[in-house]
Each structure stands twice: as C-alpha cells, then as structure tokens.
PDB file of all heavy atoms in Angstrom:
ATOM      1  N   THR P   1    -173.252  33.998 156.885  1.00 98.00           N
ATOM      2  CA  THR P   1    -173.635  35.417 156.721  1.00 98.00           C
ATOM      3  C   THR P   1    -172.502  36.207 156.100  1.00 98.00           C
ATOM      4  O   THR P   1    -171.340  35.737 156.009  1.00 98.00           O
ATOM      5  CB  THR P   1    -173.975  36.045 158.068  1.00 98.00           C
ATOM      6  OG1 THR P   1    -172.762  36.301 158.800  1.00 98.00           O
ATOM      7  CG2 THR P   1    -174.916  35.199 158.865  1.00 98.00           C
ATOM      8  N   ASP P   2    -172.802  37.417 155.658  1.00 96.00           N
ATOM      9  CA  ASP P   2    -171.768  38.291 155.122  1.00 96.00           C
ATOM     10  C   ASP P   2    -170.756  38.701 156.149  1.00 96.00           C
ATOM     11  O   ASP P   2    -169.643  39.119 155.804  1.00 96.00           O
ATOM     12  CB  ASP P   2    -172.426  39.579 154.566  1.00 96.00           C
ATOM     13  CG  ASP P   2    -173.385  39.316 153.424  1.00 96.00           C
ATOM     14  OD1 ASP P   2    -173.367  38.156 152.865  1.00 96.00           O
ATOM     15  OD2 ASP P   2    -174.147  40.212 153.044  1.00 96.00           O
ATOM     16  N   TRP P   3    -171.115  38.573 157.427  1.00 94.00           N
ATOM     17  CA  TRP P   3    -170.207  38.953 158.515  1.00 94.00           C
ATOM     18  C   TRP P   3    -169.260  37.812 158.916  1.00 94.00           C
ATOM     19  O   TRP P   3    -168.400  38.008 159.758  1.00 94.00           O
ATOM     20  CB  TRP P   3    -171.002  39.398 159.740  1.00 94.00           C
ATOM     21  CG  TRP P   3    -171.798  40.642 159.509  1.00 94.00           C
ATOM     22  CD1 TRP P   3    -173.160  40.718 159.303  1.00 94.00           C
ATOM     23  CD2 TRP P   3    -171.306  41.982 159.456  1.00 94.00           C
ATOM     24  NE1 TRP P   3    -173.534  42.017 159.073  1.00 94.00           N
ATOM     25  CE2 TRP P   3    -172.419  42.801 159.166  1.00 94.00           C
ATOM     26  CE3 TRP P   3    -170.049  42.540 159.602  1.00 94.00           C
ATOM     27  CZ2 TRP P   3    -172.307  44.173 159.047  1.00 94.00           C
ATOM     28  CZ3 TRP P   3    -169.941  43.912 159.464  1.00 94.00           C
ATOM     29  CH2 TRP P   3    -171.040  44.742 159.207  1.00 94.00           C
ATOM     30  N   CYS P   4    -169.428  36.657 158.362  1.00 95.00           N
ATOM     31  CA  CYS P   4    -168.596  35.515 158.719  1.00 95.00           C
ATOM     32  C   CYS P   4    -167.248  35.625 158.013  1.00 95.00           C
ATOM     33  O   CYS P   4    -167.102  35.294 156.825  1.00 95.00           O
ATOM     34  CB  CYS P   4    -169.299  34.210 158.353  1.00 95.00           C
ATOM     35  SG  CYS P   4    -170.818  33.911 159.334  1.00 95.00           S
ATOM     36  N   SER P   5    -166.257  36.083 158.736  1.00 94.00           N
ATOM     37  CA  SER P   5    -164.945  36.444 158.178  1.00 94.00           C
ATOM     38  C   SER P   5    -163.866  35.403 158.368  1.00 94.00           C
ATOM     39  O   SER P   5    -162.747  35.591 157.865  1.00 94.00           O
ATOM     40  CB  SER P   5    -164.485  37.768 158.741  1.00 94.00           C
ATOM     41  OG  SER P   5    -164.430  37.715 160.190  1.00 94.00           O
ATOM     42  N   HIS P   6    -164.131  34.361 159.141  1.00 94.00           N
ATOM     43  CA  HIS P   6    -163.107  33.337 159.385  1.00 94.00           C
ATOM     44  C   HIS P   6    -163.682  31.968 159.089  1.00 94.00           C
ATOM     45  O   HIS P   6    -164.850  31.704 159.442  1.00 94.00           O
ATOM     46  CB  HIS P   6    -162.646  33.387 160.843  1.00 94.00           C
ATOM     47  CG  HIS P   6    -161.748  34.569 161.117  1.00 94.00           C
ATOM     48  ND1 HIS P   6    -162.235  35.832 161.260  1.00 94.00           N
ATOM     49  CD2 HIS P   6    -160.412  34.652 161.328  1.00 94.00           C
ATOM     50  CE1 HIS P   6    -161.223  36.657 161.511  1.00 94.00           C
ATOM     51  NE2 HIS P   6    -160.127  35.985 161.558  1.00 94.00           N
ATOM     52  N   PRO P   7    -162.898  31.123 158.453  1.00 95.00           N
ATOM     53  CA  PRO P   7    -161.532  31.393 157.919  1.00 95.00           C
ATOM     54  C   PRO P   7    -161.543  32.352 156.775  1.00 95.00           C
ATOM     55  O   PRO P   7    -162.605  32.539 156.123  1.00 95.00           O
ATOM     56  CB  PRO P   7    -161.024  29.987 157.499  1.00 95.00           C
ATOM     57  CG  PRO P   7    -162.321  29.245 157.175  1.00 95.00           C
ATOM     58  CD  PRO P   7    -163.306  29.767 158.128  1.00 95.00           C
ATOM     59  N   ALA P   8    -160.382  32.933 156.498  1.00 93.00           N
ATOM     60  CA  ALA P   8    -160.324  33.986 155.434  1.00 93.00           C
ATOM     61  C   ALA P   8    -160.657  33.475 154.062  1.00 93.00           C
ATOM     62  O   ALA P   8    -161.128  34.254 153.245  1.00 93.00           O
ATOM     63  CB  ALA P   8    -158.902  34.604 155.484  1.00 93.00           C
ATOM     64  N   ASP P   9    -160.457  32.217 153.829  1.00 94.00           N
ATOM     65  CA  ASP P   9    -160.701  31.629 152.489  1.00 94.00           C
ATOM     66  C   ASP P   9    -162.039  30.954 152.432  1.00 94.00           C
ATOM     67  O   ASP P   9    -162.306  30.147 151.526  1.00 94.00           O
ATOM     68  CB  ASP P   9    -159.592  30.632 152.119  1.00 94.00           C
ATOM     69  CG  ASP P   9    -159.470  29.473 153.098  1.00 94.00           C
ATOM     70  OD1 ASP P   9    -160.156  29.496 154.128  1.00 94.00           O
ATOM     71  OD2 ASP P   9    -158.736  28.526 152.771  1.00 94.00           O
ATOM     72  N   LEU P  10    -162.961  31.276 153.317  1.00 96.00           N
ATOM     73  CA  LEU P  10    -164.278  30.666 153.317  1.00 96.00           C
ATOM     74  C   LEU P  10    -165.015  30.878 151.985  1.00 96.00           C
ATOM     75  O   LEU P  10    -165.200  32.012 151.560  1.00 96.00           O
ATOM     76  CB  LEU P  10    -165.130  31.233 154.461  1.00 96.00           C
ATOM     77  CG  LEU P  10    -166.477  30.612 154.694  1.00 96.00           C
ATOM     78  CD1 LEU P  10    -166.352  29.137 155.114  1.00 96.00           C
ATOM     79  CD2 LEU P  10    -167.239  31.386 155.771  1.00 96.00           C
ATOM     80  N   ASP P  11    -165.399  29.794 151.378  1.00 95.00           N
ATOM     81  CA  ASP P  11    -166.041  29.870 150.054  1.00 95.00           C
ATOM     82  C   ASP P  11    -167.392  29.147 150.107  1.00 95.00           C
ATOM     83  O   ASP P  11    -167.494  27.984 149.725  1.00 95.00           O
ATOM     84  CB  ASP P  11    -165.102  29.284 148.971  1.00 95.00           C
ATOM     85  CG  ASP P  11    -165.682  29.365 147.558  1.00 95.00           C
ATOM     86  OD1 ASP P  11    -166.586  30.202 147.372  1.00 95.00           O
ATOM     87  OD2 ASP P  11    -165.254  28.625 146.708  1.00 95.00           O
ATOM     88  N   VAL P  12    -168.402  29.851 150.605  1.00 97.00           N
ATOM     89  CA  VAL P  12    -169.719  29.273 150.701  1.00 97.00           C
ATOM     90  C   VAL P  12    -170.741  30.353 150.254  1.00 97.00           C
ATOM     91  O   VAL P  12    -170.375  31.555 150.129  1.00 97.00           O
ATOM     92  CB  VAL P  12    -170.061  28.806 152.125  1.00 97.00           C
ATOM     93  CG1 VAL P  12    -169.129  27.728 152.561  1.00 97.00           C
ATOM     94  CG2 VAL P  12    -170.043  29.973 153.122  1.00 97.00           C
ATOM     95  N   ALA P  13    -171.958  29.978 150.084  1.00 98.00           N
ATOM     96  CA  ALA P  13    -172.998  30.927 149.727  1.00 98.00           C
ATOM     97  C   ALA P  13    -173.232  31.899 150.881  1.00 98.00           C
ATOM     98  O   ALA P  13    -173.211  31.534 152.039  1.00 98.00           O
ATOM     99  CB  ALA P  13    -174.319  30.198 149.409  1.00 98.00           C
ATOM    100  N   ARG P  14    -173.431  33.174 150.567  1.00 98.00           N
ATOM    101  CA  ARG P  14    -173.680  34.185 151.575  1.00 98.00           C
ATOM    102  C   ARG P  14    -175.156  34.541 151.640  1.00 98.00           C
ATOM    103  O   ARG P  14    -175.827  34.637 150.605  1.00 98.00           O
ATOM    104  CB  ARG P  14    -172.851  35.462 151.243  1.00 98.00           C
ATOM    105  CG  ARG P  14    -171.351  35.220 151.230  1.00 98.00           C
ATOM    106  CD  ARG P  14    -170.801  34.847 152.604  1.00 98.00           C
ATOM    107  NE  ARG P  14    -169.360  34.579 152.570  1.00 98.00           N
ATOM    108  CZ  ARG P  14    -168.545  34.652 153.624  1.00 98.00           C
ATOM    109  NH1 ARG P  14    -169.039  35.016 154.811  1.00 98.00           N
ATOM    110  NH2 ARG P  14    -167.259  34.423 153.501  1.00 98.00           N
ATOM    111  N   VAL P  15    -175.645  34.698 152.870  1.00 97.00           N
ATOM    112  CA  VAL P  15    -177.104  34.841 153.065  1.00 97.00           C
ATOM    113  C   VAL P  15    -177.417  36.143 153.821  1.00 97.00           C
ATOM    114  O   VAL P  15    -178.283  36.192 154.646  1.00 97.00           O
ATOM    115  CB  VAL P  15    -177.674  33.617 153.819  1.00 97.00           C
ATOM    116  CG1 VAL P  15    -177.573  32.374 152.976  1.00 97.00           C
ATOM    117  CG2 VAL P  15    -177.012  33.424 155.155  1.00 97.00           C
ATOM    118  N   ARG P  16    -176.674  37.224 153.484  1.00 96.00           N
ATOM    119  CA  ARG P  16    -176.807  38.521 154.148  1.00 96.00           C
ATOM    120  C   ARG P  16    -176.353  38.484 155.582  1.00 96.00           C
ATOM    121  O   ARG P  16    -175.429  37.757 155.953  1.00 96.00           O
ATOM    122  CB  ARG P  16    -178.229  39.081 154.000  1.00 96.00           C
ATOM    123  CG  ARG P  16    -178.587  39.549 152.609  1.00 96.00           C
ATOM    124  CD  ARG P  16    -179.687  40.574 152.559  1.00 96.00           C
ATOM    125  NE  ARG P  16    -180.863  40.270 153.288  1.00 96.00           N
ATOM    126  CZ  ARG P  16    -182.077  40.036 152.763  1.00 96.00           C
ATOM    127  NH1 ARG P  16    -182.176  40.081 151.429  1.00 96.00           N
ATOM    128  NH2 ARG P  16    -183.130  39.756 153.514  1.00 96.00           N
ATOM    129  N   GLY P  17    -176.942  39.362 156.427  1.00 95.00           N
ATOM    130  CA  GLY P  17    -176.397  39.558 157.783  1.00 95.00           C
ATOM    131  C   GLY P  17    -177.046  38.697 158.858  1.00 95.00           C
ATOM    132  O   GLY P  17    -178.023  37.958 158.605  1.00 95.00           O
ATOM    133  N   THR P  18    -176.557  38.852 160.100  1.00 96.00           N
ATOM    134  CA  THR P  18    -177.078  38.116 161.203  1.00 96.00           C
ATOM    135  C   THR P  18    -178.484  38.620 161.598  1.00 96.00           C
ATOM    136  O   THR P  18    -179.306  37.856 162.070  1.00 96.00           O
ATOM    137  CB  THR P  18    -176.160  38.250 162.442  1.00 96.00           C
ATOM    138  OG1 THR P  18    -176.005  39.627 162.749  1.00 96.00           O
ATOM    139  CG2 THR P  18    -174.792  37.645 162.152  1.00 96.00           C
ATOM    140  N   LYS P  19    -178.732  39.935 161.374  1.00 96.00           N
ATOM    141  CA  LYS P  19    -180.013  40.504 161.772  1.00 96.00           C
ATOM    142  C   LYS P  19    -181.001  40.582 160.605  1.00 96.00           C
ATOM    143  O   LYS P  19    -182.192  40.827 160.827  1.00 96.00           O
ATOM    144  CB  LYS P  19    -179.796  41.952 162.275  1.00 96.00           C
ATOM    145  CG  LYS P  19    -178.810  42.050 163.472  1.00 96.00           C
ATOM    146  CD  LYS P  19    -179.285  41.295 164.699  1.00 96.00           C
ATOM    147  CE  LYS P  19    -178.369  41.563 165.856  1.00 96.00           C
ATOM    148  NZ  LYS P  19    -178.694  40.734 167.036  1.00 96.00           N
ATOM    149  N   ASN P  20    -180.527  40.388 159.391  1.00 96.00           N
ATOM    150  CA  ASN P  20    -181.428  40.464 158.207  1.00 96.00           C
ATOM    151  C   ASN P  20    -181.128  39.340 157.211  1.00 96.00           C
ATOM    152  O   ASN P  20    -180.904  39.597 156.040  1.00 96.00           O
ATOM    153  CB  ASN P  20    -181.351  41.821 157.520  1.00 96.00           C
ATOM    154  CG  ASN P  20    -179.967  42.044 156.908  1.00 96.00           C
ATOM    155  OD1 ASN P  20    -178.971  41.495 157.356  1.00 96.00           O
ATOM    156  ND2 ASN P  20    -179.900  42.910 155.906  1.00 96.00           N
ATOM    157  N   PRO P  21    -181.085  38.095 157.667  1.00 97.00           N
ATOM    158  CA  PRO P  21    -180.707  37.017 156.730  1.00 97.00           C
ATOM    159  C   PRO P  21    -181.723  36.868 155.628  1.00 97.00           C
ATOM    160  O   PRO P  21    -182.912  37.148 155.772  1.00 97.00           O
ATOM    161  CB  PRO P  21    -180.727  35.752 157.631  1.00 97.00           C
ATOM    162  CG  PRO P  21    -181.685  36.111 158.735  1.00 97.00           C
ATOM    163  CD  PRO P  21    -181.497  37.556 158.990  1.00 97.00           C
ATOM    164  N   ASP P  22    -181.265  36.425 154.464  1.00 98.00           N
ATOM    165  CA  ASP P  22    -182.117  36.181 153.302  1.00 98.00           C
ATOM    166  C   ASP P  22    -182.723  34.769 153.516  1.00 98.00           C
ATOM    167  O   ASP P  22    -182.122  33.767 153.192  1.00 98.00           O
ATOM    168  CB  ASP P  22    -181.302  36.201 152.009  1.00 98.00           C
ATOM    169  CG  ASP P  22    -182.145  36.092 150.779  1.00 98.00           C
ATOM    170  OD1 ASP P  22    -183.196  35.486 150.856  1.00 98.00           O
ATOM    171  OD2 ASP P  22    -181.682  36.583 149.724  1.00 98.00           O
ATOM    172  N   LEU P  23    -183.935  34.751 154.008  1.00 98.00           N
ATOM    173  CA  LEU P  23    -184.550  33.466 154.379  1.00 98.00           C
ATOM    174  C   LEU P  23    -184.811  32.590 153.145  1.00 98.00           C
ATOM    175  O   LEU P  23    -184.665  31.372 153.215  1.00 98.00           O
ATOM    176  CB  LEU P  23    -185.857  33.739 155.146  1.00 98.00           C
ATOM    177  CG  LEU P  23    -185.771  34.584 156.391  1.00 98.00           C
ATOM    178  CD1 LEU P  23    -187.105  34.622 157.092  1.00 98.00           C
ATOM    179  CD2 LEU P  23    -184.706  34.046 157.336  1.00 98.00           C
ATOM    180  N   ASP P  24    -185.184  33.197 152.035  1.00 97.00           N
ATOM    181  CA  ASP P  24    -185.400  32.406 150.837  1.00 97.00           C
ATOM    182  C   ASP P  24    -184.070  31.768 150.362  1.00 97.00           C
ATOM    183  O   ASP P  24    -184.068  30.631 149.896  1.00 97.00           O
ATOM    184  CB  ASP P  24    -186.005  33.264 149.712  1.00 97.00           C
ATOM    185  CG  ASP P  24    -187.455  33.617 150.008  1.00 97.00           C
ATOM    186  OD1 ASP P  24    -188.106  32.828 150.705  1.00 97.00           O
ATOM    187  OD2 ASP P  24    -187.937  34.656 149.512  1.00 97.00           O
ATOM    188  N   ALA P  25    -182.987  32.531 150.448  1.00 98.00           N
ATOM    189  CA  ALA P  25    -181.680  32.016 150.034  1.00 98.00           C
ATOM    190  C   ALA P  25    -181.291  30.827 150.922  1.00 98.00           C
ATOM    191  O   ALA P  25    -180.723  29.845 150.429  1.00 98.00           O
ATOM    192  CB  ALA P  25    -180.632  33.112 150.097  1.00 98.00           C
ATOM    193  N   ILE P  26    -181.591  30.950 152.235  1.00 98.00           N
ATOM    194  CA  ILE P  26    -181.277  29.860 153.127  1.00 98.00           C
ATOM    195  C   ILE P  26    -182.091  28.621 152.742  1.00 98.00           C
ATOM    196  O   ILE P  26    -181.557  27.480 152.701  1.00 98.00           O
ATOM    197  CB  ILE P  26    -181.587  30.268 154.596  1.00 98.00           C
ATOM    198  CG1 ILE P  26    -180.628  31.389 155.005  1.00 98.00           C
ATOM    199  CG2 ILE P  26    -181.466  29.061 155.540  1.00 98.00           C
ATOM    200  CD1 ILE P  26    -180.984  32.031 156.339  1.00 98.00           C
TER     201      ILE P  26
END
C-alpha cells in the first residue's frame, strides 16, 4: 500500500491505501 513506509527503500508496485486498495492493480 501507499502507507507501507518500511523499509525506506521499498521498491514495489503501490496499490493505494489499506482502506481503499486498487483491486484491479492487485
């Protein structure tokens, strides 16, 4: 999710928030 802040160098696809995830992106 966009709120996943650790580790600081995390380089993965972002799927919006915990309460409004982008289900199609997932």
Side-chain angles (χ1 to χ4, degrees):
T1 74
D2 297 347
W3 296 102
C4 294
S5 57
H6 286 74
D9 61 350
L10 184 65
D11 183 19
V12 298
R14 299 294 179 157
V15 296
R16 287 205 310 246
T18 57
K19 304 297 186 186
N20 65 335
D22 186 333
L23 303 185
D24 287 335
I26 294 170

